[in-house]
Amino acid sequence: MAFMKRLSGVVQAKANKVLDRVEDPRETLDLSYEKQLEQLQQVRKGVADVATAKKRIELQAQQLQAAASKLQDQARTAVAQNNEDLARQALSRRSAIATQLDGLRTQHEQLAAQQDRLVDTSKQLEARVEAFRTQKETLKASYTAAEAQTKIGEAVSGISESMSDTGLAMQRAQDKIANMQARASAVDELLDSGALTDVTGSSDPIQAELDKASQSSQVDLELAQLKAETGKGAPSALGAGGDEEVADAETVPQNAAPADPFSLDSGDGSAEPAK
Amino acid sequence: MIVRVLEDGQYEIADSDVPELERLDAVLESALEANDEPAFHRALHALLEKVRAVGSPVPHDEIVPSDLALPDEHMDLSEVRALLASEEG
């Protein structure tokens, strides 16, 4: 059992660090119990932290959806004005948003899974802590018997191991949150800089990504769709389109949001009902 | 023999099932040595499946240390390596 033995050794070593044993096993029992209660509190806080992190991702997805809708409208307006370059740029940015949403979706899934496991682990720990509480009094009362001393050792090792496992689960949750925060800050920066939504801006940090996206056939396809839609109408009618953009931007995200907050409609879906 | 699956729980394994676990453990170990992520996941999955199939879950009010430990299927190879390295120096 080479692998399982090694991993078990790691868990035991961490468990021993959780608890400093003291000379009187009865005191060890009490100290151990105090640590268990502390850890339970930490786990509950950990679960709350994961929930907060998930919420932040959901809010960002909504913001990105709104930005994508605005870009879609800008592209439509640009096509109507025969400004193909601007339309292409808007659609490119919209496609960059889809990439960001993909990343958010993955992280959201990971956090949700981690949250579920953390909740399970903490429930188990809770049950064991409760069992430990009742057992420790019995063990203390019969402490003089050699057999009881062995049992105390086992109970302390067993519960320390559970705490060590819970500690690992919390560490993993924190790692996932840290990853999420790094991405979330980057997305916030993008949103704050206006780089995603302001197609007239000259220099921006996602230019490289945009250049790549503008080569994509998806953009060509969407551009062709917009042209087909708008080209038939009056090309000059949208000269003063500023107010209209805002009005459209408010209606589109409501259509798109309930289905899947982490994916964009392919273009025709959000465009046709507005027509 | 008691096996802990991290972030899952403990399972009691009968002696008669130990040889099969040893065989699966050896496959996992060599995938780890070879740093072969797909093989590692296949081997880990097989081992976890076996442990959960033949093992009986240790009740939550029974507080006992484990003899062996396994990661759950959500840990990737690099996470497992980091975990092993964290205590083995």
Side-chain angles (χ1 to χ4, degrees):
Chain A
M1 301 284 189
F3 175 80
M4 290 197 279
K5 198 80 210 166
R6 270 170 78 193
L7 191 64
S8 172
V10 170
V11 175
Q12 305 287 347
K14 287 194 188 296
N16 289 336
K17 280 189 196 157
V18 170
L19 190 70
D20 299 322
R21 285 164 198 255
V22 287
E23 225 164 275
D24 186 340
R26 287 171 293 189
E27 270 181 56
T28 308
L29 287 173
D30 287 332
L31 280 175
S32 167
Y33 182 62
E34 275 172 36
K35 291 244 179 176
Q36 290 159 36
L37 294 180
E38 269 173 39
Q39 198 188 25
L40 269 180
Q41 279 197 321
Q42 285 171 4
V43 175
R44 290 191 188 114
K45 189 182 167 296
V47 171
D49 287 346
V50 176
T52 307
K54 265 171 58 191
K55 195 78 209 162
R56 184 168 178 198
I57 288 185
E58 286 158 18
L59 287 173
Q60 282 203 322
Q62 282 173 18
Q63 287 177 284
L64 287 173
Q65 289 284 359
S69 301
K70 192 175 169 198
L71 286 166
Q72 176 82 5
D73 292 334
Q74 286 177 329
R76 193 178 296 134
T77 308
V79 166
Q81 293 169 341
N82 281 325
N83 189 344
E84 182 168 335
D85 281 350
L86 197 61
R88 183 175 288 277
Q89 216 180 338
L91 289 175
S92 298
R93 285 171 195 228
R94 192 173 174 277
S95 129
I97 287 180
T99 311
Q100 295 289 347
L101 282 173
D102 260 355
L104 288 183
R105 180 212 303 274
T106 306
Q107 287 194 317
H108 192 264
E109 285 169 357
Q110 284 179 353
L111 281 173
Q114 198 65 45
Q115 185 180 20
D116 287 349
R117 293 202 295 280
L118 206 51
V119 167
D120 282 350
T121 315
S122 74
K123 274 190 195 145
Q124 279 196 28
L125 184 67
E126 216 164 308
R128 289 213 158 89
V129 168
E130 182 50 26
F132 187 90
R133 188 183 65 81
T134 54
Q135 283 175 24
K136 85 181 165 77
E137 294 310 319
T138 318
L139 288 169
K140 273 157 80 178
S142 59
Y143 152 72
T144 42
E147 191 201 353
Q149 294 199 28
T150 312
K151 277 190 181 161
I152 289 176
E154 278 210 345
V156 169
S157 299
I159 200 82
S160 303
E161 191 188 298
S162 286
M163 289 167 73
S164 160
D165 184 17
T166 310
L168 284 171
M170 284 198 291
Q171 184 58 52
R172 287 178 73 195
Q174 280 162 3
D175 289 349
K176 296 267 190 313
I177 290 175
N179 285 343
M180 182 286 292
Q181 279 168 341
R183 173 178 285 272
S185 303
V187 172
D188 273 346
E189 251 172 61
L190 277 180
L191 285 165
D192 290 347
S193 71
L196 284 177
T197 45
D198 180 9
V199 288
T200 56
S202 50
S203 72
D204 70 56
I206 54 163
Q207 196 55 51
E209 208 174 333
L210 295 185
D211 290 345
K212 229 184 294 163
S214 66
Q215 312 292 330
S216 81
S217 52
Q218 178 64 22
V219 168
D220 288 335
L221 191 71
E222 288 178 12
L223 191 58
Q225 276 172 356
L226 280 185
K227 279 181 174 172
E229 259 173 52
T230 327
K232 284 175 200 157
S236 56
L238 291 169
D243 292 340
E244 211 165 317
E245 278 174 31
V246 176
D248 278 358
E250 282 174 71
T251 59
V252 176
Q254 282 165 359
N255 291 340
D260 179 357
F262 298 104
S263 76
L264 296 176
D265 284 345
S266 58
D268 49 345
S270 62
E272 270 166 16
K275 202 66 193 166
Chain B
M1 184 164 265
I2 293 184
V3 177
R4 172 179 291 279
V5 176
L6 295 180
E7 298 189 45
D8 175 1
Q10 291 172 298
Y11 295 85
E12 174 134 37
I13 308 287
D15 289 348
S16 54
D17 292 314
V18 169
E20 177 62 6
L21 291 192
E22 260 168 29
R23 191 187 69 74
L24 293 168
D25 179 272
V27 179
L28 185 65
E29 176 77 8
S30 53
L32 180 79
E33 294 304 325
N35 212 7
D36 184 342
E37 180 97 50
F40 180 82
H41 272 281
R42 276 197 304 276
L44 180 58
H45 186 77
L47 191 48
L48 285 168
E49 207 163 63
K50 191 74 194 171
V51 166
R52 287 172 181 148
V54 301
S56 45
V58 174
H60 291 174
D61 60 355
E62 209 170 291
I63 302 166
V64 287
S66 315
D67 304 288
L68 301 167
L70 266 178
D72 74 352
E73 46 271 271
H74 300 95
M75 258 196 209
D76 61 32
L77 186 51
S78 61
E79 283 179 300
V80 171
R81 280 185 171 280
L83 184 56
L84 288 173
S86 69
E87 288 296 332
E88 290 179 338

